Amino acid sequence: MCSTCGCAEGERHIEGDENQPGDGLHGHQHGEHKHTRHGHDHDEHQHSHDGRDHGDRYHCHDGHDHGDHYHSHDGPAYGGHQHTHYDPEREVRPSAALAPRHVVFPAAPAQVIHHHHYHGEVHNHYYQLAPGQTLPLTAAGEPGPVPAAGPAGFTPLADARGDLDYGRGEAGTHAPGLSQRRMVEIEIDVLDKNNRLAHHNRHYFQQRAILALNLVSSPGSGKTSLLTETLLRLKDRIPCAVIEGDQQTTNDAERIRATGAPAIQVNTGKGCHLDAQMVHDAALRLDPAENSLLFIENVGNLVCPAGFDLGERCKVVVLSVTEGEDKPLKYPHMFAAAGLMILNKIDLLPWVRFDVDTCIANARRVNPSIAVLMVSATGGEGMDAWLSWLEEQRRL
């Protein structure tokens, strides 16, 4: 996962940071931070990091119990580093739900998928078997564990053509100098902290009857165009707000604000996805109305956003017909995590080689329950069905 690839080293920036006291880095003091909209507040307290004092900046409490809380501060060496304070008697340990299970594609018996469940999020690990290599089946008829490797982790398998696969280990990825066990530990630790914050966000959205949707796609899918057209059509019907995620610029937030909807830009720097902390900070500043729609437009990326719960109702993956019908198989984690796939730019179907039925079949090989809508944001086809889906989600 991306916790090992360096994406967390970027310096995030949320619109409005330049108006906040201090330089946004580690060398300043945070005063009392009261979450009145979340129904709780906390007195100021101090803790020291490298001789620098910080007050209470962020609180994430399950049931608002002060025995287990969380602080996040931006640091100069890292895009953000995290300190978890807990009572050893109340230590939260990884859930038993983290245990993997195995599934195979019926049409591709040589490909094995590990599904890891992190508090409701599905994380899939793929292993390509060498020619003639098989995995033992369990009593339930599922593939058994991949054979263990040495302390340096799994070496890549090469097929007859010399193609390398670094995703066959327990972690589903590779990082120089880290064993597969250590990478899994890092992933569990990062996702566990993120999911605590996501739970806090989800409670906040539910208390205010806000339908939060996480829009994910590759760059250029037409996600922002779809969003601007949606906002124009809902302008006099439903209050809407948008959290825009990109590595740099405020271009998309400005496009959103041109529709009349409030928006706030979150720049992730080197980061390749939004996380629950970023959404929390942006939502506090944006202050979406009760009984509203909150669209979270994630960074253009079909990989890393799949594993990070933001507290949303569901992920909506946007795939344009110019990208190819094999994308659900090439980037299966995203389509496994999404509740809805929007096939966008269908007005281009007469001019591109794209098999709609094959694309939908591929998506349902990865996620049998995924819903599918076909839309043209510029031509208007399918927009009414998309708006109806949004109305249905608001009634749930």
Side-chain angles (χ1 to χ4, degrees):
M1 64 167 283
C2 64
S3 63
T4 63
C5 75
C7 74
E9 295 178 0
E11 293 184 1
R12 70 169 189 169
H13 176 270
I14 300 176
E15 282 189 300
D17 280 348
E18 59 276 7
N19 299 322
Q20 303 300 314
D23 60 5
L25 298 178
H26 205 103
H28 65 279
Q29 181 170 332
H30 298 287
E32 183 177 2
H33 188 156
K34 296 190 176 183
H35 296 260
T36 55
R37 287 194 300 276
H38 291 250
H40 62 280
D41 59 34
H42 306 275
D43 294 332
E44 181 178 1
H45 64 275
Q46 302 288 329
H47 52 279
S48 178
H49 308 283
D50 299 329
R52 302 172 177 88
D53 290 331
H54 299 268
D56 184 10
R57 177 177 176 185
Y58 186 88
H59 305 268
C60 180
H61 302 271
D62 293 333
H64 309 302
D65 189 330
H66 293 224
D68 182 7
H69 57 275
Y70 177 86
H71 305 271
S72 176
H73 303 282
D74 293 333
Y78 305 94
H81 64 269
Q82 298 163 337
H83 310 273
T84 304
H85 302 267
Y86 61 92
D87 180 342
E89 298 298 321
R90 301 180 62 256
E91 180 179 3
V92 178
R93 303 184 183 277
S95 168
L98 298 175
R101 64 185 178 90
H102 306 266
V103 181
V104 295
F105 286 154
Q111 192 172 46
V112 181
I113 311 172
H114 272 182
H115 291 270
H116 286 273
H117 297 266
Y118 296 97
H119 304 279
E121 280 296 326
V122 179
H123 192 83
N124 310 294
H125 294 161
Y126 289 76
Y127 312 105
Q128 191 69 37
L129 304 183
Q133 182 183 6
T134 60
L135 294 180
L137 297 180
T138 67
E142 296 181 340
V146 177
F154 286 81
T155 55
L157 277 177
D159 63 15
R161 293 169 296 185
D163 296 333
L164 298 176
D165 179 5
Y166 283 88
R168 72 184 185 94
E170 291 179 359
T173 186
H174 163 79
L178 289 180
S179 69
Q180 291 288 296
R181 172 183 289 275
R182 180 58 185 146
M183 291 180 69
V184 170
E185 290 173 347
I186 292 171
E187 181 172 6
I188 291 174
D189 186 52
V190 170
L191 291 180
D192 183 61
K193 289 181 173 68
N194 181 82
N195 288 334
R196 291 170 184 258
L197 303 176
H199 174 78
H200 182 71
N201 291 345
R202 183 169 288 108
H203 177 74
Y204 168 70
F205 296 143
Q206 291 173 347
Q207 290 295 105
R208 295 170 65 88
I210 296 171
L211 172 60
L213 299 174
N214 185 1
L215 272 60
V216 292
S217 77
S218 60
S221 68
K223 187 165 73 267
T224 307
S225 295
L226 173 66
L227 190 48
T228 55
E229 181 63 24
T230 300
L231 293 169
L232 289 172
R233 290 173 180 250
L234 294 177
K235 190 171 185 178
D236 299 320
R237 296 167 53 182
I238 303 170
C240 298
V242 178
I243 296 174
E244 271 293 336
D246 279 303
Q247 288 190 310
Q248 298 292 341
T249 82
T250 61
N251 293 353
D252 285 352
E254 291 164 3
R255 289 177 61 186
I256 296 299
R257 286 191 282 257
T259 69
I264 190 166
Q265 182 74 46
V266 178
N267 288 143
T268 61
K270 294 179 183 177
C272 52
H273 58 86
L274 295 176
D275 60 34
Q277 174 76 65
M278 297 174 184
V279 170
H280 167 271
D281 294 346
L284 285 180
R285 297 182 187 184
L286 191 58
D287 192 18
E290 294 186 7
N291 298 295
S292 66
L293 267 169
L294 175 63
F295 295 100
I296 304 167
E297 185 175 353
N298 220 311
V299 178
N301 181 350
L302 278 176
V303 183
C304 300
F308 283 79
D309 183 7
L310 306 179
E312 73 271 18
R313 170 76 64 80
C314 76
K315 290 179 174 65
V316 176
V317 59
V318 181
L319 175 67
S320 74
V321 300
T322 60
E323 296 179 72
E325 60 269 8
D326 60 345
K327 286 297 182 291
L329 300 183
K330 294 174 72 173
Y331 303 96
H333 301 142
M334 184 64 76
F335 292 84
L340 172 68
M341 177 176 74
I342 292 180
L343 283 180
N344 194 24
K345 305 184 182 181
I346 61 170
D347 53 304
L348 299 180
L349 282 173
W351 293 278
V352 296
R353 293 183 178 180
F354 186 89
D355 189 321
V356 171
D357 292 337
T358 297
C359 180
I360 295 174
N362 288 340
R364 288 183 171 152
R365 283 175 62 188
V366 174
N367 181 356
S369 64
I370 195 169
V372 179
L373 292 175
M374 297 179 60
V375 171
S376 169
T378 57
E381 296 94 330
M383 287 299 297
D384 288 341
W386 161 234
L387 298 185
S388 296
W389 185 88
L390 292 173
E391 290 280 10
E392 179 182 342
Q393 294 299 307
R394 292 186 72 220
R395 292 192 294 267
L396 294 179

